[in-house]
Coordinates of all heavy atoms in Angstrom, one line a residue:
F61 N -7.7 14.2 16.3 CA -7.7 13.2 17.4 C -6.5 13.5 18.3 O -5.6 14.2 18.0 CB -7.5 11.8 16.8 CG -8.9 11.2 16.4 CD1 -9.5 11.6 15.2 CD2 -9.5 10.3 17.2 CE1 -10.7 11.0 14.9 CE2 -10.7 9.7 16.9 CZ -11.3 10.1 15.7
A62 N -6.6 12.8 19.5 CA -5.5 12.9 20.5 C -4.2 12.3 20.0 O -3.1 12.7 20.4 CB -6.0 12.3 21.8
N63 N -4.3 11.3 19.2 CA -3.2 10.6 18.5 C -3.7 9.8 17.4 O -4.9 9.5 17.3 CB -2.3 9.8 19.5 CG -3.1 8.7 20.2 OD1 -3.6 7.8 19.5 ND2 -3.3 8.9 21.5
A64 N -2.7 9.3 16.6 CA -3.1 8.5 15.4 C -3.6 7.1 15.8 O -4.4 6.5 15.0 CB -1.9 8.4 14.5
T65 N -3.1 6.6 16.9 CA -3.5 5.2 17.2 C -5.0 5.2 17.6 O -5.8 4.3 17.1 CB -2.7 4.7 18.4 OG1 -1.3 4.8 18.0 CG2 -3.0 3.3 18.8
I66 N -5.5 6.1 18.3 CA -6.9 6.2 18.6 C -7.7 6.5 17.3 O -8.8 6.0 17.1 CB -7.2 7.2 19.8 CG1 -6.6 6.7 21.1 CG2 -8.7 7.4 19.9 CD1 -6.8 7.6 22.2
A67 N -7.1 7.4 16.5 CA -7.8 7.7 15.2 C -8.0 6.4 14.4 O -9.0 6.2 13.8 CB -7.0 8.7 14.5
L68 N -6.9 5.6 14.3 CA -7.1 4.3 13.6 C -8.2 3.4 14.2 O -9.0 2.8 13.5 CB -5.7 3.5 13.7 CG -4.6 4.0 12.7 CD1 -3.3 3.3 13.0 CD2 -5.0 3.6 11.2
L69 N -8.2 3.4 15.5 CA -9.3 2.6 16.2 C -10.6 3.1 15.7 O -11.5 2.3 15.4 CB -9.2 2.7 17.7 CG -8.0 2.2 18.5 CD1 -8.1 2.3 20.0 CD2 -7.7 0.7 18.1
A70 N -10.8 4.4 15.7 CA -12.1 5.0 15.4 C -12.4 4.8 13.9 O -13.6 4.6 13.5 CB -12.1 6.4 15.7
A71 N -11.4 4.8 13.1 CA -11.6 4.6 11.6 C -12.3 3.3 11.3 O -13.2 3.2 10.5 CB -10.3 4.7 10.9
F72 N -11.8 2.2 12.0 CA -12.3 0.9 11.7 C -13.8 0.8 12.3 O -14.6 0.1 11.7 CB -11.4 -0.2 12.3 CG -10.2 -0.4 11.4 CD1 -9.1 0.3 11.7 CD2 -10.3 -1.2 10.3 CE1 -8.0 0.2 10.8 CE2 -9.2 -1.3 9.4 CZ -8.0 -0.6 9.7
K73 N -14.0 1.4 13.4 CA -15.4 1.5 14.0 C -16.3 2.2 13.0 O -17.4 1.8 12.8 CB -15.4 2.2 15.3 CG -15.2 1.3 16.5 CD -16.6 1.0 17.1 CE -16.5 0.4 18.5 NZ -16.1 -1.0 18.5
A74 N -15.8 3.3 12.5 CA -16.7 4.2 11.7 C -17.1 3.4 10.4 O -18.2 3.6 9.9 CB -15.9 5.4 11.3
L75 N -16.3 2.6 9.9 CA -16.6 1.8 8.7 C -17.2 0.5 9.0 O -17.5 -0.3 8.0 CB -15.3 1.7 7.8 CG -14.7 3.0 7.3 CD1 -13.4 2.7 6.6 CD2 -15.6 3.6 6.3
H76 N -17.5 0.1 10.2 CA -18.1 -1.1 10.6 C -17.3 -2.3 10.0 O -17.9 -3.2 9.5 CB -19.5 -1.2 10.2 CG -20.4 -0.1 10.7 ND1 -20.7 0.1 12.1 CD2 -20.9 1.0 10.1 CE1 -21.4 1.2 12.2 NE2 -21.5 1.8 11.1
I77 N -16.0 -2.3 10.1 CA -15.2 -3.4 9.6 C -15.3 -4.6 10.5 O -15.3 -4.5 11.7 CB -13.7 -2.9 9.5 CG1 -13.6 -1.6 8.6 CG2 -12.9 -4.0 8.9 CD1 -14.1 -1.7 7.2
E78 N -15.4 -5.8 9.9 CA -15.5 -7.0 10.6 C -14.5 -8.0 10.0 O -14.1 -7.9 8.8 CB -16.9 -7.6 10.6 CG -17.8 -6.8 11.4 CD -19.3 -7.4 11.3 OE1 -19.5 -8.2 10.5 OE2 -20.1 -6.9 12.1
G79 N -14.2 -9.1 10.8 CA -13.4 -10.2 10.2 C -12.0 -9.9 10.0 O -11.2 -9.6 10.9
E80 N -11.5 -10.1 8.7 CA -10.1 -10.1 8.4 C -9.8 -8.8 7.6 O -10.6 -8.3 6.8 CB -9.7 -11.3 7.5 CG -9.9 -12.6 8.2 CD -9.6 -13.8 7.3 OE1 -9.3 -13.6 6.1 OE2 -9.7 -14.9 7.8
V81 N -8.6 -8.3 7.9 CA -8.1 -7.1 7.2 C -6.7 -7.3 6.7 O -5.8 -7.7 7.4 CB -8.1 -5.8 8.2 CG1 -7.5 -4.6 7.5 CG2 -9.5 -5.5 8.7
I82 N -6.6 -7.1 5.4 CA -5.2 -7.4 4.7 C -4.4 -6.2 5.0 O -4.8 -5.0 4.8 CB -5.4 -7.6 3.2 CG1 -6.1 -9.0 3.1 CG2 -4.1 -7.6 2.5 CD1 -6.6 -9.3 1.7
T83 N -3.2 -6.4 5.5 CA -2.3 -5.3 5.9 C -0.8 -5.7 5.8 O -0.5 -6.8 5.4 CB -2.6 -4.9 7.4 OG1 -1.9 -3.7 7.7 CG2 -2.1 -6.0 8.4
T84 N 0.0 -4.7 6.0 CA 1.5 -4.9 5.8 C 2.2 -5.2 7.1 O 1.8 -4.6 8.2 CB 2.1 -3.6 5.2 OG1 3.5 -3.7 5.2 CG2 1.7 -2.3 6.0
P85 N 3.1 -6.1 7.1 CA 3.9 -6.3 8.4 C 5.0 -5.3 8.5 O 5.6 -5.2 9.6 CB 4.5 -7.7 8.1 CG 4.7 -7.7 6.6 CD 3.6 -7.0 6.0
Y86 N 5.2 -4.5 7.5 CA 6.4 -3.5 7.5 C 5.9 -2.2 7.8 O 5.6 -1.3 7.0 CB 7.0 -3.5 6.1 CG 8.4 -2.9 6.0 CD1 9.5 -3.5 6.4 CD2 8.5 -1.5 5.6 CE1 10.7 -2.9 6.3 CE2 9.7 -0.9 5.6 CZ 10.8 -1.6 5.9 OH 12.1 -1.0 5.9
S87 N 5.7 -2.0 9.2 CA 5.1 -0.7 9.6 C 5.4 -0.6 11.1 O 5.9 -1.5 11.8 CB 3.6 -0.6 9.3 OG 3.1 0.7 9.8
F88 N 4.9 0.5 11.7 CA 5.0 0.7 13.1 C 3.8 -0.2 13.7 O 2.8 -0.3 13.1 CB 4.8 2.2 13.5 CG 4.9 2.5 14.9 CD1 6.0 2.2 15.7 CD2 3.8 3.0 15.6 CE1 6.1 2.5 17.0 CE2 3.8 3.3 16.9 CZ 5.0 3.1 17.7
V89 N 4.1 -0.7 14.9 CA 3.2 -1.7 15.5 C 1.8 -1.2 15.7 O 0.8 -2.0 15.7 CB 3.8 -2.3 16.8 CG1 3.7 -1.3 17.9 CG2 3.1 -3.6 17.2
A90 N 1.6 0.1 15.8 CA 0.2 0.6 16.0 C -0.7 0.3 14.9 O -1.9 0.2 15.0 CB 0.3 2.2 16.2
T91 N -0.1 0.1 13.7 CA -1.0 -0.2 12.5 C -1.8 -1.4 12.8 O -3.0 -1.4 12.6 CB -0.1 -0.4 11.3 OG1 0.8 0.8 11.1 CG2 -0.9 -0.5 10.0
S92 N -1.1 -2.5 13.2 CA -1.8 -3.8 13.4 C -2.6 -3.8 14.8 O -3.6 -4.4 14.9 CB -0.9 -4.9 13.4 OG -0.4 -5.1 12.1
H93 N -2.0 -3.1 15.7 CA -2.7 -3.0 17.0 C -4.1 -2.5 16.9 O -5.0 -2.9 17.6 CB -1.9 -2.1 18.0 CG -0.8 -2.8 18.7 ND1 -0.4 -4.1 18.5 CD2 0.1 -2.4 19.7 CE1 0.6 -4.5 19.3 NE2 0.9 -3.4 20.0
A94 N -4.3 -1.5 16.0 CA -5.6 -1.0 15.8 C -6.6 -2.0 15.3 O -7.8 -2.0 15.6 CB -5.6 0.1 14.7
L95 N -6.1 -3.1 14.6 CA -7.0 -4.2 14.2 C -7.3 -5.1 15.4 O -8.5 -5.3 15.7 CB -6.3 -5.0 13.1 CG -6.0 -4.2 11.8 CD1 -5.2 -5.1 10.9 CD2 -7.2 -3.7 11.2

Side-chain angles (χ1 to χ4, degrees):
F61 274 79
N63 59 64
T65 305
I66 295 178
L68 279 168
L69 295 184
F72 286 91
K73 266 265 193 282
L75 294 171
H76 305 291
I77 304 297
E78 289 178 349
E80 297 177 357
V81 177
I82 292 171
T83 191
T84 171
Y86 193 83
S87 181
F88 183 61
V89 72
T91 309
S92 291
H93 277 1
L95 300 176

